[in-house]
Amino acid sequence: MSLSTFFRGAALAVAALALGCSAASAAEAVKLNDKQRAKGIAEAPALLMTAGVPCEPADAYYVGESTQKGADGKTVKFQVTEVACKAGIGYILNKNTVTNAVEKFNCTQAFSQNAANNKQIKCNLPANEKHYTWLTPLVQQYDAACTVSNARWMGTVTEQKFDRYEAACEGRAGVVLDVPYADSATKLTFSNCLAVKGNSACQYTTQEQAVQSLQAPAKQAQAACTVEKARWIGRVTSDGHDFFEIGCAGRPGFILQTTTALKYVANFGCDKAGTLGPCQYTDAASLSAEARAEYSQKLKAAGITCTVTEYNLIGTETATKRDLVEFKCPEQKLGLAAFIPNTGSTAKFEAMDCFTMISRRKECGFVPRATLDQHLNTLIKAAKKDCEIQEVTYLGRGDDDTALVEIACTNKRGYVGAVAKARTGFEEVVSCSIAKSRKYPIQCEIPGNGTYVPPAGGSND
């Protein structure tokens, strides 16, 4: 994963869902009786079918009537029925007596609305008392040891078709989960309680529990680390990966990369945090000094002279497990970057200057393009004395690490060439007209380039 694709962001905004029913509130507590239960059981199958709820009713209860004003200001009556399903969650069903349409909301939603406002309806059937048990198999995809002991509904995101819940786990950290509608393309998604703030902040899980939930993946990263502190940094939504800073007891911390279900993916030190940093729990400055010395030694071992004064971790090449690091050092005037294998990688160390970097479509940060252009100006004057560079296009990388370029001169002369690997001259440089006549694979494309008109008897080559 390239760290440049890293996405920072807080939890999704959640819009509250109006349940649209205030019948049978806590102030009008439901008294279960056989007549209303019989009516509910008799009507439940048809109501469930109309509402599109996949539920085989185990019990049902006709709660009563509710009234609500429609958009036209007219009062509409609703018949309210509670249903307990043989498997899964129970529901409150509202039947519009005018249109016969049936609205539905589940018992966890009802419980949450009632907790916020006791005038709102809640489920009362004995089978619906533990309204949260339906979440256990879902949450166990995140934490196999979790038995959900409570839950609350926090709202819905209609556009993306999911509901957000917080689930409490018995004796351990809970989680926030986004549960998609049946017809939604959105996937079931989990968020550690460290990652949610504001309206989505956890109520059932403490900060300490959330931190401790990272012990297992942190141990996979560094066995000697006992997690003392942790914070969520952000999520790469396209990969489904979360990033946390881990503070270890008595030793330097690191950045931990996991799936949203807290499965270990990768880790890297605070000195390599790049755009994710700086670390808050580890003295990254001292680590950086150590890293500079370590990098200088690695470069020396590769036969490269570079006293590292600064460095930048550009990203990690996933396939080869190599870090791409750019270095600032006085000895390398044309810049230096290197692919450095991480532990366990069988790939080779590979160094390059900024000409190669730009040929690979990645510009250096410590050496500006203007420095490369100026160096080319010196080289082209040595090869073609009548050229003062006006514009350069870097076309790509040629054989033996040559840099393919197009040069436009201020006098309308133009050239394409291959800058030698040593960057002391050109392996070949020809005019735009020659490149065209010989059908070279690289051609002049800068508008107006090579349009120099020589005097009588002169040459444009």
Side-chain angles (χ1 to χ4, degrees):
M1 185 206 77
S2 171
L3 295 182
S4 62
T5 65
F6 178 76
F7 173 77
R8 293 174 181 270
L12 292 172
V14 179
L17 172 70
L19 297 184
C21 176
S22 59
S25 68
E28 306 168 21
V30 175
K31 296 178 181 178
L32 302 180
N33 64 63
D34 293 340
K35 185 177 179 180
Q36 285 176 267
R37 183 170 252 151
K39 178 178 172 63
I41 290 172
E43 296 178 352
L47 292 170
L48 289 164
M49 183 176 294
T50 303
V53 177
C55 164
E56 185 178 355
D59 199 359
Y61 191 81
Y62 174 67
V63 179
E65 285 192 347
S66 168
T67 58
Q68 182 180 335
K69 284 190 177 182
D72 58 1
K74 294 181 180 180
T75 300
V76 180
K77 286 185 179 180
F78 289 84
Q79 292 179 337
V80 185
T81 303
E82 178 186 350
V83 179
C85 304
K86 287 185 178 180
I89 195 169
Y91 292 89
I92 299 290
L93 305 174
N94 294 337
K95 179 183 178 181
N96 187 315
T97 58
V98 176
T99 64
N100 290 324
V102 179
E103 299 175 344
K104 67 180 185 295
F105 53 97
N106 65 49
C107 288
T108 300
Q109 291 174 321
F111 164 83
S112 303
Q113 291 285 71
N114 181 264
N117 178 1
N118 64 9
K119 291 184 178 181
Q120 293 293 315
I121 190 172
K122 67 176 182 178
C123 296
N124 289 279
L125 288 171
N128 286 333
E129 182 181 358
K130 294 184 177 180
H131 60 86
Y132 44 80
T133 55
W134 67 282
L135 286 167
T136 292
L138 297 182
V139 176
Q140 284 182 345
Q141 296 179 47
Y142 171 83
D143 180 356
C146 173
T147 299
V148 176
S149 57
N150 206 347
R152 66 186 181 100
W153 171 79
M154 292 189 285
T156 190
V157 178
T158 307
E159 297 80 4
Q160 297 180 41
K161 295 185 177 182
F162 70 81
D163 287 304
R164 174 164 288 177
Y165 298 88
E166 179 191 358
C169 294
E170 206 170 278
R172 55 198 299 115
V175 68
V176 170
L177 63 161
D178 295 334
V179 181
Y181 301 171
D183 62 342
S184 174
T186 303
K187 295 181 179 180
L188 175 67
T189 303
F190 303 97
S191 295
N192 182 281
C193 285
L194 294 174
V196 287
K197 307 292 181 184
N199 293 334
S200 294
C202 291
Q203 296 182 5
Y204 302 133
T205 297
T206 66
Q207 174 84 1
E208 183 180 2
Q209 287 176 318
V211 168
Q212 292 309 307
S213 69
L214 294 167
Q215 287 284 5
K219 286 289 186 184
Q220 282 184 267
Q222 294 188 16
C225 175
T226 299
V227 179
E228 189 173 57
K229 298 177 182 178
R231 67 184 180 95
W232 180 77
I233 299 173
R235 173 172 291 176
V236 179
T237 307
S238 59
D239 294 340
H241 289 171
D242 282 326
F243 291 81
F244 299 88
E245 180 190 354
I246 302 298
C248 302
R251 58 182 294 112
F254 54 92
I255 303 295
L256 174 68
Q257 181 181 354
T258 72
T259 66
T260 59
L262 288 190
K263 300 298 186 293
Y264 173 77
V265 175
N267 72 97
F268 42 93
C270 287
D271 56 298
K272 298 181 180 180
T275 57
L276 300 178
C279 286
Q280 296 180 8
Y281 309 136
T282 299
D283 181 7
S286 61
L287 288 177
S288 180
E290 293 176 11
R292 288 197 300 272
E294 182 181 346
Y295 279 137
S296 293
Q297 288 301 315
K298 287 183 177 180
L299 293 170
K300 183 178 180 181
I304 300 169
T305 302
C306 175
T307 305
V308 180
T309 58
E310 291 184 56
Y311 67 92
N312 176 39
L313 175 68
I314 297 171
T316 300
E317 194 175 50
T318 307
T320 63
K321 297 181 181 179
R322 297 187 300 177
D323 290 334
L324 176 57
V325 187
E326 182 190 358
F327 302 99
K328 183 178 182 180
C329 46
E331 298 89 345
Q332 303 294 331
K333 302 299 183 183
L334 297 178
L336 175 65
F339 280 106
I340 300 178
N342 287 311
T343 303
S345 173
T346 58
K348 295 180 179 179
F349 175 98
E350 181 184 355
M352 66 200 81
D353 65 7
C354 292
F355 276 104
T356 300
M357 284 281 283
I358 203 168
S359 297
R360 289 181 166 187
R361 303 295 183 261
K362 181 67 179 176
E363 294 197 27
C364 289
F366 296 134
V367 176
R369 181 186 285 230
T371 300
L372 305 184
D373 291 354
Q374 184 57 48
H375 187 71
L376 277 180
N377 198 48
T378 301
L379 298 185
I380 194 66
K381 281 182 176 179
K384 306 287 183 179
K385 299 185 184 301
D386 56 354
C387 179
E388 181 74 31
I389 287 182
Q390 182 177 47
E391 186 178 348
V392 178
T393 298
Y394 293 86
L395 302 174
R397 186 182 179 198
D399 295 336
D400 195 26
D401 211 19
T402 57
L404 306 179
V405 297
E406 176 188 355
I407 295 171
C409 310
T410 56
N411 60 5
K412 302 299 182 180
R413 289 187 183 273
Y415 302 94
V416 291
V419 184
K421 182 177 182 179
R423 312 309 186 210
T424 56
F426 289 91
E427 284 200 354
E428 183 179 9
V429 60
V430 300
S431 68
C432 295
S433 57
I434 290 178
K436 184 176 181 179
S437 65
R438 295 179 182 177
K439 297 181 180 181
Y440 276 26
I442 57 174
Q443 295 287 326
C444 294
E445 296 183 2
I446 297 173
N449 198 20
T451 59
Y452 171 77
V453 178
S459 170
N460 192 18
D461 296 337

